[in-house]
Amino acid sequence: MGAYITRRLLLIIPTMIGIMAISFLVVQFAPGGPIERIIAQLQGTDVSATARITGGGSDFQGVASETAGGDATSSYRGAQGLDPEFIRQLEVQFGFDKPPIERFGLMLWNYFRFDFGESYFRDVSVIDLIIEKLPVSISLGLWMTLISYLISIPLGIRKAMKDGSRFDVWTSGVIVVGYAIPGFLFAILLIILFAGGSFLDWFPLRGLTSDNWATLPWYEQIVDYFWHLALPLTAMALSAFATTTLLTKNSFLDEIRKQYVVTARAKGLSEHSVLYRHVFRNAMLIVIAGFPGAFISSFFAGSLLIETIFSLDGLGLLGFESVINRDYPVVFATLYMFSLMGLVVNLVSDITYTAIDPRIDFDTREV
């Protein structure tokens, strides 16, 4: 197992380089950029809903007013009339005065040392910005994944034991309908019904905690925290457990029909012993295989619309705004961290296989 883990850890390096290289190449050919965005904002032509210049970007307002009116010809769209020196300052500010290969190599070197630099448009380091947004994403992703598995596994086992029964049929119908309803539409419905939209006003509409959270006793802080999470988690979890439930059911059905289960029953073992001492270990392998993907998806990708609807300032909203605003340090840093975490979590999942079923030996196969 040690040799397998070492090989997987070594493979992370070229994998991460490949991911970052492809992303960096796409950005080079993508239209627009931070310089064009600042120029558009200074010219008054940027009408994006997320348009804003803070921190370092605002320093160029005065420079632009002093240097406007030049006769420079620039490769940047909308830069006509701006002094070439102003454009050059922007290029130096964002590091675009260096060749792409040099910029990519410098980025990799910094990222391997977990030095992500500072945001282009926010006067704060990227790592501090990510840490600031983490509580929201951790809350949504962690609790939703936990709730999903706590519902999916028992329900999937029950459906496998009652295969073809009325319970199996109506629960399948509920699961399919829940999976088909978009989470953001259900979120809006929850707001209308329970957050002061048109009917009841039971739950808060924005934020992860109340304004007076720091002054509350610890037990009231816990209640307040889950009070704010109730509606977002309900909206996200509606369809989250559908795939895992059906996967658990089908996995258990496959195992229940195998010969070793028939033999165990013939020996006089109880149904509970057959199910949880023999079937469970084998059937849960495929469910565990899907855990890293489910966790990464719910933690990083599935919360953008929910964060927007419930005014939760997390990583999903940060990533979206960073792409729209061409805030490349934030974009690349979040991509790097999420990709690295995904590779590590997948390795942890493989290690978990051996903990559940010692018969699995990764050292006997090639990576």
Side-chain angles (χ1 to χ4, degrees), residues 8 19 87-88 93 99 108 153 190 227 269 322 348 353:
R8 285 288 298 270
I19 292 173
I87 301 300
R88 191 189 68 80
Q93 171 76 14
L108 286 182
I153 294 176
L190 291 176
W227 183 45
L269 294 179
S322 299
V348 172
Y353 275 127

Side-chain angles (χ1 to χ4, degrees), residues 152-342:
S152 300
I153 294 176
L155 181 58
I157 295 174
R158 184 67 176 174
K159 286 175 64 63
M161 299 302 298
K162 299 289 185 179
D163 184 42
S165 66
R166 295 178 62 181
F167 173 82
D168 181 42
V169 172
W170 76 260
T171 52
S172 295
V174 172
I175 289 173
V176 171
V177 171
Y179 186 75
I181 298 176
F184 71 92
L185 286 182
F186 190 60
I188 295 173
L189 176 63
L190 291 176
I191 291 175
I192 294 174
L193 294 177
F194 303 111
S198 299
F199 296 92
L200 304 174
D201 190 11
W202 288 353
F203 296 94
L205 186 57
R206 58 186 302 116
L208 195 61
T209 57
S210 300
D211 294 335
N212 64 334
W213 185 82
T215 63
L216 298 175
W218 66 269
Y219 53 90
E220 291 187 14
Q221 289 181 340
I222 295 176
V223 173
D224 182 78
Y225 171 73
F226 285 106
W227 183 45
H228 282 75
L229 281 177
L231 294 187
L233 287 179
T234 302
M236 294 178 68
L238 176 66
S239 61
F241 61 87
T243 302
T244 309
T245 299
L246 296 180
L247 184 64
T248 302
K249 174 193 172 182
N250 294 331
S251 179
F252 268 80
L253 284 178
D254 289 341
E255 293 297 323
I256 289 173
R257 294 165 182 166
K258 290 183 178 179
Q259 184 62 41
Y260 76 89
V261 176
V262 177
T263 303
R265 286 171 173 166
K267 290 181 178 179
L269 294 179
S270 66
E271 194 66 22
H272 183 275
S273 180
V274 171
L275 182 63
Y276 290 100
R277 291 185 57 186
H278 296 273
V279 175
F280 185 82
R281 174 180 293 181
N282 297 322
M284 287 304 295
L285 286 175
I286 191 171
V287 178
I288 291 173
F291 176 79
F295 179 78
I296 295 298
S297 175
S298 63
F299 188 55
F300 301 128
S303 58
L304 171 59
L305 291 176
I306 299 299
E307 288 179 12
T308 303
I309 292 173
F310 290 99
S311 300
L312 298 171
D313 195 7
L315 290 176
L317 189 58
L318 172 65
F320 172 74
E321 289 185 347
S322 299
V323 171
I324 295 298
N325 294 330
R326 303 300 193 268
D327 198 348
Y328 293 151
V330 179
V331 173
F332 284 125
T334 52
L335 173 65
Y336 179 85
M337 294 179 66
F338 296 168
S339 300
L340 180 61
M341 185 172 293

Side-chain angles (χ1 to χ4, degrees), residues 48-113:
S48 171
T50 60
R52 59 185 176 189
I53 295 182
T54 60
S58 61
D59 295 337
F60 293 113
Q61 296 274 8
V63 177
S65 62
E66 294 174 3
T67 59
D71 297 323
T73 301
S74 174
S75 60
Y76 298 105
R77 184 175 59 182
Q80 291 77 12
L82 294 178
D83 194 316
E85 179 62 23
F86 170 64
I87 301 300
R88 191 189 68 80
Q89 290 180 21
L90 287 178
E91 291 178 338
V92 173
Q93 171 76 14
F94 297 126
F96 293 151
D97 56 326
K98 302 180 179 67
I101 296 297
E102 182 179 349
R103 285 190 281 119
F104 179 68
L106 182 61
M107 181 184 70
L108 286 182
W109 170 246
N110 290 333
Y111 282 13
F112 285 149
R113 296 182 293 123

Side-chain angles (χ1 to χ4, degrees), residues 3-18:
Y4 172 77
I5 294 176
T6 302
R7 292 197 301 268
R8 285 288 298 270
L9 290 175
L10 291 176
L11 278 174
I12 288 179
I13 298 176
T15 303
M16 291 300 303
I17 293 177

